[in-house]
């Protein structure tokens, strides 16, 4: 299991941990709502919204598995304060997806959509950043259902709620919009190093207005 492969415990230098974070035992499972059932014949990943040509893109599970993958080692930080040091993810880089499905020049943000309507918004720069992957595997194994199988986003430089499990669509946006947790009290930017945890900490320009 993943937890036996990763480094754990007190040997992690403190400066490697963002403020307020600790290293837990094992790999916690954390999400809101049920784990979706994977139906390989019905599953697809779609890209829509402000694409450069106006067309929509769609990959079946068979097609998605043929996209080029990279392996990336990164630390994973959850806003509930656990950090998983030295995670190893395998998947299709966000940057690769934007090459295959080019966004219009006016695109500033993406909304990443999961089964059951969970979503998280990202700046385009976060989506194409080094280390951002549409992951299909972790620490040498395919993802397990509870960790996001078949495909989850990993955005290691932001708090974990932006790392959407069970991804089904990427929507290109020409203006920022809040995702599931960003609407419900979590910070629009979610930088763990400056502890941008909650929306009340947001400064002007860090997020769209919160609707009551
Ligand atoms: N679809 C979906 N993805 C999600 C969540 C969720 O509730 N639904 N929770 C997020 C949160 S808060 C975290 S910390 C990570 C946890 O990933 P893990 O369960 O693989 O540790 O998943 C993120 N992705
Ligand atoms: Mo989280």
């Amino acid at each position: 299991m993943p937890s036996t492969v990763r480094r754990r415990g007190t040997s992690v230098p403190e400066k490697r941990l963002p403020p307020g974070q600790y290293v837990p035992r094992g790999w916690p499972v954390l999400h809101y709502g049920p784990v979706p059932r994977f139906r390989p014949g019905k599953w697809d990943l779609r890209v829509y919204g402000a694409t450069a040509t106006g067309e929509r893109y769609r990959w079946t599970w068979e097609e998605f598995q043929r996209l080029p993958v990279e392996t990336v080692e990164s630390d994973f930080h959850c806003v509930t304060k656990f950090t998983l040091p030295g995670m190893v993810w395998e998947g299709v880089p966000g940057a690769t997806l934007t090459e295959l499905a080019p966004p219009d020049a006016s695109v500033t943000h993406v909304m990443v959509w999961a089964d059951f309507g969970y979503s998280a918004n990202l700046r385009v720069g976060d989506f194409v950043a080094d280390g951002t992957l549409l992951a299909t595997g972790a620490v040498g194994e395919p993802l397990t259902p509870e960790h996001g199988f078949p495909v989850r986003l990993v955005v290691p430089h932001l708090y974990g709620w932006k790392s959407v499990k069970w991804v089904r669509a990427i929507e290109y946006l020409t203006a920022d919009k809040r995702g599931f947790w960003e609407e419900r009290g979590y910070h629009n930017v979610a930088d763990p190093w400056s502890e941008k945890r909650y929306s009340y900490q947001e400064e002007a320009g860090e997020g769209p207005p919160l609707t009551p």
Side-chain angles (χ1 to χ4, degrees):
M1 277 307 285
S3 52
T4 61
V5 184
R6 278 195 320 268
R7 295 186 292 277
R8 278 288 172 272
T10 51
S11 59
V12 175
E14 211 169 293
K15 65 177 184 329
R16 183 164 170 180
L17 292 180
Q21 299 294 111
Y22 72 96
V23 179
R25 250 180 246 282
W27 182 2
V29 170
L30 207 70
H31 55 262
Y32 180 83
V35 174
R37 193 157 76 92
F38 173 57
R39 296 176 184 82
K42 286 197 172 158
W43 187 93
D44 60 7
L45 184 95
R46 293 178 301 130
V47 176
Y48 63 94
T51 60
T53 59
E55 67 197 289
R56 294 163 150 253
Y57 299 82
R58 177 179 179 266
W59 290 270
T60 63
W61 176 232
E62 221 173 83
E63 290 164 344
F64 190 83
Q65 287 174 288
R66 290 199 293 264
L67 298 182
V69 295
E70 278 179 17
T71 300
V72 173
E73 180 173 342
S74 55
D75 298 348
F76 186 88
H77 314 292
C78 172
V79 73
T80 67
K81 303 200 168 174
F82 68 81
T83 283
L84 309 176
M87 283 296 290
V88 179
W89 303 98
E90 183 179 276
V92 180
T96 300
L97 209 77
T98 62
E99 283 160 23
L100 298 168
D104 188 76
S106 60
V107 170
T108 57
H109 292 78
V110 306
M111 190 72 81
V112 181
W113 290 100
D115 284 312
F116 304 137
Y118 184 88
S119 61
N121 56 316
L122 297 165
R123 298 168 294 206
V124 172
D126 295 317
F127 188 71
V128 302
D130 277 349
T132 299
L133 292 180
L134 287 141
T136 50
V139 280
E141 305 277 349
L143 289 175
T144 56
E146 64 271 20
H147 287 300
F149 178 81
V151 178
R152 77 171 298 164
L153 189 70
V154 179
V155 188
H157 64 283
L158 299 178
Y159 282 127
W161 80 80
K162 301 275 191 185
S163 290
V164 177
K165 301 194 277 193
W166 313 296
V167 174
R168 294 299 302 277
I170 313 295
E171 180 185 3
Y172 290 157
L173 303 173
T174 56
D176 199 5
K177 254 198 294 202
R178 289 177 187 271
F180 183 87
W181 284 121
E182 294 82 3
E183 265 182 346
R184 290 170 176 78
Y186 286 94
H187 199 291
N188 195 54
V189 176
D191 171 38
W193 295 97
S194 53
E195 280 195 89
K196 294 182 191 292
R197 295 177 187 272
Y198 307 111
S199 52
Y200 67 75
Q201 301 170 305
E202 287 175 19
E203 288 170 23
E206 287 191 314
L210 270 160
T211 46

